[in-house]
Amino acid sequence: MTVAHSDSTGRRARELGLELPGTPGPHNAITDVPGVEVGYRTLIHGEGPLVVGQGPVRTGVTAILPRGRAGVGRPCAAGWYSLNGNGEMTGTTWIDEVGELWSPITISNTHAIGACHTGVIEWINAVRPALARQWLLPVCAETWDGYLNDINGGHVIPEVVRAALDSARPGPVAEGSVGGGTGMNCYGFKGGSGTASRRISFGAKVFTIGVFVQANFGARAELTVTGCPVGRILDTPNPMESDDWLERDIAAPGAGSVIVIVATDAPLDAAQCKAIARRVPLGLARTGTTGSMFSGDIFLAFSTANDRPGATSFPARAISEAELETRIVMPWNRMDLLYAAVVPAVEEAVLNALFVNAEMTGRDGHRSPALPREAVLALVNSPGHRDRRPD
């Protein structure tokens, strides 16, 4: 079946009583940043032995529109960072060059990068044909879902990508096994899509940091929840980790990847966006990961402030002083406000991806168990752990 938006199967980390720092926005999602829209297409069908091209299929596409459908082509200041390069995010060399992002962002599986790239170009050609007459360098990112999915079957096609882009909306964001996160695993449990946000005060102004993760990383023993090393304590069987992982046709322990997108309406320039992206690993580390060599960990941050028309066409007219731009930018000596927001938001987004999820069985009977929420909460709330937590 093909699903546009799938409801979460469980309650989120904060709703279950986890004590997480910071004040979230109304949806505790990346869409709390005004203008940001998220869309999905989820592909789930088939069971049993793998037949390449037929399934079983456990995959999909996530689409993030930084300024919504109406704002395609209007640039955002942007910067990116790679903790480990065993992954892919297209369009980043151009972001390095000009410090801007003006295309949609798509996230899917590793072997769907080409289809996502083509699908975004086709979609922009349909909704902004004048923009498509210039060069297009979409941002398409991936994590590997081959443990559960027929990853070589070509199930993500440009039509699916266009549908994900068309479905993008503001407001609440579905989490767990939806969109590009459908076939993903995290710390030996069912992973996938997660989101969170934080509000920060700057004088009389209030800015928002929003985070979206596609979580497909981490070894079971690393999993840490609000400082409690639950992965080392839980006795839940882990069918995804084995000493003979290569012979069993499964991923190495800790393998996978994680893509993190950070949005904010705080007025940042490109260098400050890159500085935000460099703080993402600190939030991931709170959940326990040590950054496996087999995990591509790539992060992108953008600012929706300083909204203005794009300037992608070659100028054919005489140079005019009217083309000069004035922008408001956050002072560097106040960036700690944003760093202190993005780190716990990343942590919470990963926990949400884990907590809302249900068990999934994919190709060849490969099973990804759900996080045992009650057992985790019991460990986190045990007197010994609570006594060790800082106030």
Side-chain angles (χ1 to χ4, degrees):
M1 63 178 172
T2 302
V3 184
H5 286 272
S6 178
D7 292 333
S8 300
T9 57
R11 288 190 294 165
R12 307 173 81 191
R14 187 178 291 260
E15 294 168 356
L16 288 167
L18 284 187
E19 297 178 12
L20 298 161
T23 302
H27 303 296
N28 197 12
I30 192 172
T31 50
D32 289 331
V33 177
V36 176
E37 297 178 358
V38 175
Y40 292 124
R41 269 299 181 270
T42 301
L43 307 177
I44 299 175
H45 62 81
E47 58 184 21
L50 172 66
V51 179
V52 175
Q54 298 181 30
V57 178
R58 307 286 188 271
T59 195
V61 179
T62 300
I64 300 174
L65 277 59
R67 296 194 186 278
R69 186 186 184 98
V72 174
R74 298 207 308 272
C76 297
W80 73 288
Y81 176 69
S82 171
L83 176 68
N84 188 55
N86 193 359
E88 182 64 271
M89 180 183 287
T90 67
T92 49
T93 52
W94 185 237
I95 290 173
D96 277 344
E97 186 70 23
V98 297
E100 291 183 347
L101 164 74
W102 51 264
S103 74
I105 301 162
T106 58
I107 319 173
S108 187
N109 75 62
T110 307
H111 295 177
I113 285 282
C116 287
H117 205 274
T118 298
V120 172
I121 291 172
E122 291 178 352
W123 185 81
I124 293 176
N125 192 52
V127 302
R128 293 286 185 277
L131 188 63
R133 295 188 190 107
Q134 308 300 324
W135 71 94
L136 297 176
L137 299 170
V139 173
C140 307
E142 55 76 28
T143 63
W144 185 81
D145 62 10
Y147 174 76
L148 293 170
N149 178 48
D150 174 18
I151 194 170
N152 293 317
H155 302 285
V156 173
I157 59 176
E159 179 183 359
V160 173
V161 181
R162 297 197 308 269
L165 290 159
D166 277 333
S167 75
R169 299 289 185 273
V173 176
E175 295 174 290
S177 297
V178 292
T182 300
M184 305 304 169
N185 310 291
C186 187
Y187 291 116
F189 295 108
K190 190 66 192 71
S193 303
T195 190
S197 70
R198 292 294 185 274
R199 285 182 161 178
I200 56 173
S201 296
F202 189 89
K205 293 182 177 294
V206 176
F207 297 124
T208 300
I209 287 271
V211 169
F212 183 92
V213 305
Q214 185 161 296
N216 190 53
F217 68 101
R220 172 70 65 81
E222 295 176 331
L223 176 59
T224 302
V225 178
T226 64
C228 182
V230 300
R232 298 204 306 267
I233 304 171
L234 290 170
D235 59 2
T236 306
N238 182 7
M240 285 178 278
E241 290 188 10
S242 172
D243 292 337
D244 60 345
W245 57 271
L246 187 59
E247 287 75 13
R248 290 185 56 205
D249 192 23
I250 60 177
S257 288
V258 56
I259 298 296
V260 182
I261 308 298
V262 182
T264 185
D265 57 354
L268 306 183
D269 63 19
Q272 291 169 327
C273 288
K274 190 176 187 71
I276 290 290
R278 287 200 304 267
R279 267 62 185 187
V280 167
L282 302 178
L284 296 176
R286 289 190 179 194
T287 68
T289 183
T290 54
S292 167
M293 189 279 288
F294 289 100
S295 180
D297 307 334
I298 306 175
F299 323 120
L300 171 68
F302 64 85
S303 168
T304 61
N306 295 304
D307 192 6
R308 67 194 192 284
T312 59
S313 60
F314 292 103
R317 59 187 182 279
I319 295 174
S320 167
E321 291 183 10
E323 295 179 74
L324 297 173
E325 297 177 350
T326 300
R327 306 181 194 183
I328 299 172
V329 179
M330 178 76 69
W332 274 98
N333 63 359
R334 298 298 186 185
M335 286 295 291
D336 281 356
L337 293 169
L338 282 81
Y339 300 156
V342 72
V343 170
V346 169
E347 176 189 22
E348 184 168 357
V350 173
L351 294 178
N352 282 337
L354 285 165
F355 271 86
V356 304
N357 246 311
E359 179 172 309
M360 179 178 283
T361 300
R363 58 104 170 170
D364 297 318
H366 285 183
R367 186 173 63 87
S368 179
L371 182 78
R373 290 179 283 269
E374 292 184 4
V376 169
L377 292 171
L379 290 170
V380 169
N381 293 320
S382 64
H385 174 59
R386 292 182 67 88
D387 292 344
R388 290 193 299 270
R389 283 189 291 186
D391 294 333

